[in-house]
Amino acid sequence: MEIGQIVFEKKLLLTRDSLVRYAGASGDFNPIHYRDDIAKQVGLPGVLAHGMLTMGAAISPLFDEAGIKLVEYSVRFSKPVPVDADAGAELTVSAEVVGIEDGLAKLAIKAVFDEQTVLAKSFAWVKND
Amino acid sequence: MNPEIVGKTYPSTPAYLVGREKIREFAKATFHSDNSPSISIDAAKQAGFDDLIAPPTFAIVLQQQSLELVIDDPEADLDFSRVVHGDQGFSFQRQIVAGDLLTSQLSVESVKQLAGNQMIAFLTKIFDEDKQLVAEARSTLVVRG
């Protein structure tokens, strides 16, 4: 890997089906991820994607290529991702190499929804051998 | 959340057996490809493992088990209905593989007041059957004021 290299850039469509599937897989059944009425009761615009779904989806292309080399991955959830019942929510996820030291490559992981960054200060460290 | 809870370490959770199909289900739900080592046994074997490797964020399942102890702890006084996920991080000593028997142990690292909200930092250590550290999960939850 080299500094400045874009390791992947990919568009993902999150739908309400995606949220139900993630709820079942993860065991996170917070109703704000599948019920508009409850989401609105707690002051949200509507059903939101699980932050952990965005975090997991944003690393999946890198892991599938270099999975056994991942040593650290951390994110900040900077904006919620509302998922429209009809249109869903299109995320653009990408990874760029921003540093190389001590045998590790540091990658900036990005997730953008509706032109807004939804994961901030998000980095993955992979062994660079 | 009671700020005096800082420094408290909760007991280890009961052993969690990592299932092959649970890994596959989690991987599909987080948009992994069909040739991912979390979905394809052949890909996992090519990577040098005997069975499927868990996706990076799978460790959240173990963290969640430990977090349940905090939610159920009257001393912690955490109102989960007002909680928003702030930060999340994982560091790995080794990959989690199907067949692993894992436990987790959570400590409360800090409770800070920020603009009317509370920021709570947790560290969850995940161990295998041989008591070896497998991964660490760091999480910051924001309790809306």
Side-chain angles (χ1 to χ4, degrees), chain A residues 3-64:
Chain A
I3 290 177
Q5 184 185 344
I6 307 291
V7 181
F8 67 84
E9 185 176 274
K10 199 174 172 182
K11 288 187 194 299
L12 304 171
L13 181 63
L14 301 185
T15 63
R16 292 286 172 93
D17 297 31
S18 314
L19 306 194
V20 172
R21 191 179 283 264
Y22 184 75
S26 66
D28 182 346
F29 292 104
N30 186 333
I32 65 162
H33 303 303
Y34 55 91
R35 280 187 57 180
D36 283 300
D37 56 334
I38 289 180
K40 283 176 181 153
Q41 270 173 33
V42 297
L44 300 169
V47 159
L48 304 180
H50 306 75
M52 286 307 304
L53 169 53
T54 302
M55 183 183 186
I59 198 75
S60 61
L62 179 71
F63 177 81
D64 291 349

Side-chain angles (χ1 to χ4, degrees), chain B residues 27-41:
Chain B
K28 286 181 176 172
T30 46
F31 293 82
H32 286 264
S33 65
D34 288 345
N35 56 6
S36 166
S38 298
I39 291 180
S40 157
I41 294 283

Side-chain angles (χ1 to χ4, degrees), chain B residues 42-91:
Chain B
D42 285 345
K45 287 192 169 157
Q46 267 177 24
F49 293 84
D50 293 335
D51 211 322
L52 297 184
I53 313 166
T57 59
F58 184 83
I60 196 72
V61 175
L62 279 303
Q63 178 186 293
Q64 186 60 31
Q65 288 209 323
S66 274
L67 199 55
E68 300 286 344
L69 300 177
V70 184
I71 295 166
D72 293 341
D73 176 12
E75 191 194 357
D77 191 25
L78 175 63
D79 180 359
F80 206 66
S81 70
R82 284 158 54 210
V83 162
V84 178
H85 207 166
D87 299 81
Q88 182 68 45
F90 301 99
S91 60

Side-chain angles (χ1 to χ4, degrees), chain B:
Chain B
M1 180 92 177
N2 171 12
E4 288 173 14
I5 208 86
V6 172
K8 182 164 181 174
T9 296
Y10 285 81
S12 282
T13 52
Y16 177 96
L17 177 60
V18 179
R20 176 191 285 178
E21 299 307 335
K22 193 68 196 177
I23 287 181
R24 206 172 251 151
E25 181 190 7
F26 193 96
K28 286 181 176 172
T30 46
F31 293 82
H32 286 264
S33 65
D34 288 345
N35 56 6
S36 166
S38 298
I39 291 180
S40 157
I41 294 283
D42 285 345
K45 287 192 169 157
Q46 267 177 24
F49 293 84
D50 293 335
D51 211 322
L52 297 184
I53 313 166
T57 59
F58 184 83
I60 196 72
V61 175
L62 279 303
Q63 178 186 293
Q64 186 60 31
Q65 288 209 323
S66 274
L67 199 55
E68 300 286 344
L69 300 177
V70 184
I71 295 166
D72 293 341
D73 176 12
E75 191 194 357
D77 191 25
L78 175 63
D79 180 359
F80 206 66
S81 70
R82 284 158 54 210
V83 162
V84 178
H85 207 166
D87 299 81
Q88 182 68 45
F90 301 99
S91 60
F92 305 97
Q93 302 298 313
R94 71 163 175 85
Q95 299 296 317
I96 295 173
V97 182
D100 279 341
L101 204 52
L102 302 176
T103 55
S104 62
Q105 191 160 39
L106 176 148
S107 311
V108 183
E109 295 223 298
S110 66
V111 179
K112 289 176 189 156
Q113 202 70 33
L114 198 74
N117 297 325
Q118 256 186 338
M119 317 273 286
I120 310 163
F122 297 106
L123 170 64
T124 305
K125 294 183 174 186
I126 298 168
F127 298 95
D128 65 17
E129 258 182 301
D130 303 323
K131 308 272 183 271
Q132 296 295 305
L133 184 68
V134 173
E136 290 183 327
R138 287 183 181 276
S139 194
T140 306
L141 300 184
V142 183
V143 186
R144 292 182 293 166

